[in-house]
Structure formats: structure tokens, C-alpha cells
Amino acid sequence: MQSACATLEIRDEADAVDAICAAKAKGDCCAIVGGGSKSGLGRYAPQAQALSTAALTGVTLYEPNELVLSARGGVPLSEIEALLDRHGQQLAFEPMDYGPLFGAEAGCATIGGVISVNAAGPRRINAGAARDHLLGFRCVTGRGELVKSGGRVMKNVTGYDLSKLVCGSYGTLALLTELTLKVLPKPQTECTLLAIGADEAESLALLRRATATPCEPSSLAMLPAGAALALDADAAAIRLEGPAISVTARRDELVARLASGGLRFETLDEYDSKTLWRGLRDAAPVAAKVGQIWRISVAPSEGFTVVEHIRAGAPVLAHFYDWAGGLIWLCLETAPDAYAAVVRSAVDASGGHATLIRASEETRATVDIFHPQPAALAALTRRVKESFDPAHILERGRMRAEF
């Protein structure tokens, strides 16, 4: 996935079994390639063989009335979203498109890649992550074994819940051949309430207050001046979705609850609201900058403290907060070590984890991309890897240098 290597097209599960077994016999390692939109994610670890899932296409099941969809791993995300849109439905976890962040075209992601990195957007704070919508899957493990897990309903309690393991595993455990997902109706409309006039810390506190109201915001972001919408002041952005009459009533109630001296409120209509959150989903305020990009997850109450700590030790070019302050996107000036010690010291002081999303191959080969794990968790991670892929065939070195 991260180097020029021979590419083998996987047309079906039998091809996947044969390819992985052949690699195991030769001691080779394999990258899993979908649309290529996430090729810059993870450690730089050249692989001997690329397994392309581009031919694993087709929606194998879609029952709109049952809110369930099954598709092969190589199906473009855009194709699934278009199909759902025609039936007034959506993937509620709002998967991020990493392509533009890496200078690639938008719309190249596959559903297998989305699940592999557990991609989720601004609505995650309300709807959950990709792993919360994965009902079942079929895959071929690093042992060359075909595995089926889960089913077509949420209340499937037979066996182990392997969905939670493969989501976010970056292809290091298995090649996903088919996935079954829960889908949900699209809201009738949406708007975004902007609260302008408070500083960064006050805006984040306002977002936390909004989450404690009965107004049911679906997304909450803090945009520093200039981050988006050509705003010349810091702004708190609160998305409301649902029936039009409900959205209007909840917006008015939020204004009444949050109003204070110096604040002014603006409302983005449905079109402008969707445009804003699509950009935030894809980290547009930092993606357009030239620099190294970090993604930091902390408790919402700690977000501002973490950014202030980082500002004291590293040059911040751009940043914004999602998930009411619990997700921070940062673009820093380029440095050989990506200011990893500064970033991780700030995160460790508040609790959370930081992931280096965009950096050069040289930096990604030497800096820990994912936050270092406590010894007990690292040991568990290794045991899971050994269970699925004892010879370290799949994405060797992608997440951890040792496997």
C-alpha cells in the first residue's frame, strides 16, 4: 500500500485465500489496496505484494425496510452513498474521505477501507463510529483462513464480536471481502447555529453546555477565526438535524439557553450547513495547509488545555475542534520528528491519544504514528495479531514496527 510493489487483483474470496497462502509460503508481506485514498496512513512500511480489492465489487444485499446493506469490500463508498441517497438513507457515522488530505481526488474510498480504519465524521458524537454500524463481515485472515462473523441484525450474540477488532485494524488482521452494515434514514433537513464572539476556551465551554441541553445537536465543532466560512472571529458551530419544525424549534431554544453578552448568532441553511460539515468531516481547515497533521482524541473538557500545551512547544499552523472539543485536528510546521514528543506530552498530561496522520515517508518510518500503548494493552494487541496473522503477512509494520 505504501510502496511500488507488484499488484495482484483479488476477484473473489478464493483468490484472497490463494494469495495470502502463497505469500505465507514465501515469507512475503502484503499490502491491501482499495481505492488508494488512505495510502499515506500509518507507518511507512514497504510491502512485497499489493493485493487489490478493486474487483471485489457489488452490493450483495440491500433491504431498505430492514435498514441493512451488504457489499463486497472493494465497492466504492460513493456508490453505496448514492444508492442509499436514492432511498432517503445514509451511513449515519459519516465516514471521512482521506483522499483530499493526501492530495488525491475525493471519492476514491472503498467501503472495506472505511471499515479498516474505522472512519467516522462529525456525527460520531451522536451516531457512533463505523464499528457501531458494522453488523457482520467475511474476511480472509493472515492464516489464509476464510472467516465469517456477525449477521444482519444488531442482536446477533452468537460467538465473539470480531467486528470490534477488524474495525480500525488497518488491514493488519484480515482482508475484508464482504461487509454488512446498519443504515439509517436521512434527516428531513438540517441547519447549523453559529455562536460568534466568544474566545476559543469560551466557545468550547459553550459547546459542552449545548450537549447538556435537550436540543439534541448531532455535531458540535469549534472553529478558530479563519478556519472556515471566512469567519473573522472564533465560532462555535452546532448542527441540528430532523423534521423542519423540530430543527427550527430546537435552534430557537438553543439560542435562548446559550445567549449571553457579546455573543451573536447566525444560522446556516441546509445547503450551507451540509457544505460546512462535509469540509469538517474531511479536515479541510488543516488539509489545505502545508505541514504535518495530527489527529488528537481527548476528553472534550481537555481539548483547549492540550492545544495550549502544544502551542507552547511547537509552531501550530492551523487547527480546529470537532466532537465538542474531544477531537482536535492540528497542522504543525514540518519537522523531522513531527514534534511527536511535544504532542504526546500534552496528550499524556490530559489523557487521550494522538495519531500522526500526514507526514513524509522518512518521518513515518521513524516516528511512532499511533500513540504508544501501555504494556498490558500492547501485549493484548500482539496476541490478537498473532491469532489472526502469526506470520505477519498482512500490512507488516503498518501499525507497529515489530509486527
Side-chain angles (χ1 to χ4, degrees), residues 2-77:
Q2 304 183 66
S3 64
C5 56
T7 300
L8 182 65
E9 185 176 85
I10 303 300
R11 299 163 299 179
D12 52 32
E13 291 173 342
D15 278 355
V17 170
D18 290 345
I20 291 173
C21 286
K24 185 169 63 170
K26 293 187 291 184
D28 284 344
C29 52
C30 298
I32 301 171
V33 182
S37 63
K38 304 170 188 66
S39 59
L41 277 177
R43 294 184 68 257
Y44 177 65
Q47 310 289 316
Q49 177 85 60
L51 306 180
S52 171
T53 63
L56 280 176
T57 59
V59 173
T60 58
L61 170 80
Y62 180 36
E63 297 181 0
N65 292 335
E66 300 299 325
L67 302 176
V68 62
L69 176 145
S70 296
R72 294 194 175 95
V75 178
L77 175 63

Side-chain angles (χ1 to χ4, degrees), residues 262-281:
L263 272 184
R264 77 177 193 271
F265 294 92
E266 297 180 9
T267 301
L268 302 182
D269 62 17
E270 181 177 9
Y271 178 83
D272 288 339
S273 178
K274 287 182 176 179
T275 301
L276 170 66
W277 293 102
R278 189 180 306 115
L280 298 182
R281 178 199 70 184

Side-chain angles (χ1 to χ4, degrees), residues 108-142:
C108 296
T110 63
I111 192 62
V114 165
I115 297 302
S116 290
V117 303
N118 194 33
R123 204 183 286 115
R124 177 176 179 172
I125 194 171
N126 175 267
R131 63 166 54 94
D132 301 306
H133 297 255
L134 181 62
L135 301 176
F137 65 91
R138 294 172 64 89
C139 72
V140 178
T141 70

Side-chain angles (χ1 to χ4, degrees), residues 198-210 221-222 236 300 302-305 307 321-322 324-326:
D199 65 21
E200 194 166 311
E202 292 167 343
S203 295
L204 288 166
L206 184 144
L207 292 179
R208 296 195 297 274
R209 285 172 54 199
M222 190 276 142
E302 297 295 324
F304 180 72
T305 300
V307 171
Y321 304 82
D322 203 347

Side-chain angles (χ1 to χ4, degrees), residues 31-380:
I32 301 171
V33 182
S37 63
K38 304 170 188 66
S39 59
L41 277 177
R43 294 184 68 257
Y44 177 65
Q47 310 289 316
Q49 177 85 60
L51 306 180
S52 171
T53 63
L56 280 176
T57 59
V59 173
T60 58
L61 170 80
Y62 180 36
E63 297 181 0
N65 292 335
E66 300 299 325
L67 302 176
V68 62
L69 176 145
S70 296
R72 294 194 175 95
V75 178
L77 175 63
S78 58
E79 181 180 319
I80 290 175
E81 290 179 328
L83 172 62
L84 293 174
D85 187 62
R86 291 196 294 271
H87 290 83
Q89 296 180 340
Q90 65 179 355
L91 296 173
F93 57 93
E94 204 171 14
M96 176 182 178
D97 186 345
Y98 280 91
L101 188 145
F102 292 110
E105 292 184 14
C108 296
T110 63
I111 192 62
V114 165
I115 297 302
S116 290
V117 303
N118 194 33
R123 204 183 286 115
R124 177 176 179 172
I125 194 171
N126 175 267
R131 63 166 54 94
D132 301 306
H133 297 255
L134 181 62
L135 301 176
F137 65 91
R138 294 172 64 89
C139 72
V140 178
T141 70
R143 294 176 179 271
E145 298 172 342
L146 179 62
V147 171
K148 175 183 180 296
S149 177
R152 296 177 178 175
V153 295
M154 287 298 293
K155 293 183 178 179
N156 188 319
V157 295
T158 303
Y160 295 106
D161 187 5
L162 299 182
S163 297
K164 300 296 190 292
L165 289 179
V166 298
C167 273
S169 65
Y170 284 67
T172 61
L173 301 181
L175 186 156
L176 297 171
T177 58
E178 187 174 23
L179 304 115
T180 299
L181 295 157
K182 173 179 66 174
V183 301
L184 290 173
K186 297 184 73 172
Q188 181 186 102
T189 190
E190 70 174 70
C191 77
T192 294
L193 179 66
L194 297 176
I196 305 168
D199 65 21
E200 194 166 311
E202 292 167 343
S203 295
L204 288 166
L206 184 144
L207 292 179
R208 296 195 297 274
R209 285 172 54 199
T211 64
T213 71
C215 298
E216 298 181 342
S218 61
S219 308
L220 305 101
M222 190 276 142
L223 310 174
L229 300 172
L231 292 168
D232 59 2
D234 294 343
I238 304 169
R239 176 164 63 173
L240 300 164
E241 298 178 297
I245 189 170
S246 170
V247 167
T248 300
R250 286 183 284 138
R251 180 204 60 193
D252 293 345
E253 183 176 351
L254 263 180
V255 170
R257 287 174 175 268
L258 301 179
S260 63
L263 272 184
R264 77 177 193 271
F265 294 92
E266 297 180 9
T267 301
L268 302 182
D269 62 17
E270 181 177 9
Y271 178 83
D272 288 339
S273 178
K274 287 182 176 179
T275 301
L276 170 66
W277 293 102
R278 189 180 306 115
L280 298 182
R281 178 199 70 184
D282 298 339
V286 297
K289 301 292 184 179
V290 177
Q292 296 164 325
I293 293 179
W294 286 87
R295 183 180 186 271
I296 300 170
S297 180
V298 294
S301 59
E302 297 295 324
F304 180 72
T305 300
V306 169
V307 171
E308 285 295 278
H309 188 152
I310 293 171
R311 279 186 179 129
V316 177
L317 302 178
H319 73 289
F320 74 96
Y321 304 82
D322 203 347
W323 305 350
L327 178 66
I328 306 163
W329 285 95
L330 279 172
C331 182
L332 305 181
E333 282 188 9
T334 299
D337 65 351
Y339 295 98
V342 173
V343 172
R344 295 214 158 105
S345 172
V347 173
D348 288 341
S350 295
H353 59 267
T355 304
L356 180 58
I357 297 294
R358 190 178 74 189
S360 68
E361 291 181 353
E362 293 77 12
T363 298
R364 288 166 42 228
T366 56
V367 173
D368 283 336
I369 301 301
F370 300 94
H371 209 77
Q373 296 177 325
L377 182 56
L380 177 59

